[in-house]
Amino acid sequence: LSRLTRELNIDPNRVYITGHSMGGHLTWRSGMQMGDRFAAVSPMSGGYDYVETKEVYNLLNVPGYGTFGAKEPYDIDVFNRKIGAWMKERRFDWRLVEKPGGHEIFDDEIPRISAFILARERNLYPEQVFRRTGPKPMHDEPNVNERWNVEHTWKKDRAIPLSTAHWLRLFPLPNDTPEENRVQSIHARRKGNIFTIASRNVRRARIYLHPKMVDFEKSIKVVAIETVVFDERVD
């Protein structure tokens, strides 16, 4: 994606992803794991119970327009209804449209999907960022591919790790961390030059600053769990 953006002169703030069935699953997961790369996503007839796994929180800054049939296999319809209700209650910028039919692409929704996603551009500097990362099951089906449960957070030749979202980055936990504490979650908000952070199981985090976010002529304050951990100017 980065290479094509450079070589074909693509606007990086207007990149979108869509897919059907297995492509729908990939669209969901791309939005949750690499949401800062896309302006909007459109999963069609895909998805697991991302409310149960809490992965849906990672879509906080990722608009989406999804479709699914009323009679889907593998409980895809059940999961999408649950996700849709969860997002509506929290006012996420999402539409999940249930259509009469089954596991298919609904041609009449294509113009509405196109209008929705093309009206949105990527925002790298949102006022709040949520990131959850760590080992987790994709769904309850037994005997799944064991690689699906591996969290790939760092590679030597990858410039931006998957643990980075917008202006926030998490770091891998020590190898001796107990399994029950290996899921990290962090919610960071910014208001002017003040950042407030709530987290769980996070040992280390990094905030990336930009002139569009803060005033570098003033001090930057970071408050983590009601404790001021940083309060000074940044050059």
Side-chain angles (χ1 to χ4, degrees):
L1 180 59
S2 297
R3 179 180 177 183
L4 289 175
T5 300
R6 292 193 302 268
E7 295 182 355
L8 301 181
N9 195 29
I10 295 170
D11 183 351
N13 292 324
R14 299 188 67 85
V15 177
Y16 312 93
I17 184 171
T18 185
H20 175 260
S21 191
M22 185 60 73
H25 298 317
L26 178 60
T27 299
W28 276 110
R29 300 196 70 79
S30 296
M32 293 184 294
Q33 294 189 4
M34 298 182 290
D36 51 5
R37 301 303 302 270
F38 303 106
V41 302
S42 179
M44 302 178 183
S45 292
Y48 296 110
D49 191 345
Y50 300 127
V51 176
E52 176 66 24
T53 64
K54 296 182 174 60
E55 295 168 276
V56 68
Y57 285 94
N58 288 335
L59 294 171
L60 175 63
N61 296 302
V62 186
Y65 193 125
T67 60
F68 64 97
K71 297 181 179 179
E72 293 274 6
Y74 313 115
D75 286 335
I76 291 173
D77 50 339
V78 176
F79 297 149
N80 274 264
R81 292 187 196 104
K82 183 176 181 179
I83 296 169
W86 188 96
M87 287 179 160
K88 183 177 181 180
E89 182 179 351
R90 290 158 180 80
R91 298 181 180 180
F92 274 40
D93 187 13
W94 266 80
R95 297 178 190 175
L96 279 171
V97 179
E98 181 174 347
K99 304 288 288 185
H103 197 66
E104 58 190 280
I105 296 175
F106 301 99
D107 292 342
D108 59 322
E109 287 295 324
I110 300 299
R112 287 185 277 271
I113 293 172
S114 298
F116 179 92
I117 64 176
L118 293 176
R120 286 154 176 81
E121 294 187 18
R122 181 181 64 164
N123 175 18
L124 282 178
Y125 315 106
E127 292 185 351
Q128 55 180 326
V129 175
F130 182 91
R131 189 65 176 152
R132 184 179 189 275
T133 184
K136 53 193 176 298
M138 287 187 65
H139 49 77
D140 295 330
E141 184 176 324
N143 301 319
V144 298
N145 186 329
E146 62 180 11
R147 295 184 180 181
W148 291 0
N149 289 334
V150 177
E151 183 73 9
H152 299 283
T153 57
W154 183 84
K155 285 187 177 181
K156 180 180 178 181
D157 298 322
R158 178 185 290 141
I160 303 176
L162 292 181
S163 54
T164 300
H166 298 89
W167 43 262
L168 186 67
R169 179 179 176 184
L170 294 181
F171 291 81
L173 293 168
N175 292 332
D176 60 354
T177 302
E179 186 67 22
E180 63 271 18
N181 296 329
R182 296 196 66 84
V183 175
Q184 300 182 78
S185 62
I186 186 168
H187 186 192
R189 300 171 182 257
R190 67 175 181 86
K191 186 173 183 181
N193 278 31
I194 301 177
F195 294 81
T196 57
I197 296 175
S199 64
R200 182 176 183 182
N201 296 332
V202 174
R203 302 285 187 87
R204 180 185 175 198
R206 176 178 293 165
I207 295 173
Y208 294 97
L209 302 175
H210 191 276
K212 291 184 178 180
M213 296 168 54
V214 298
D215 182 354
F216 282 101
E217 297 299 319
K218 301 178 180 178
S219 293
I220 307 295
K221 178 183 286 188
V222 180
V223 182
I225 316 177
E226 300 184 353
T227 300
V228 176
V229 295
F230 187 89
D231 189 4
E232 57 187 87
R233 286 190 54 184
V234 176
D235 295 329

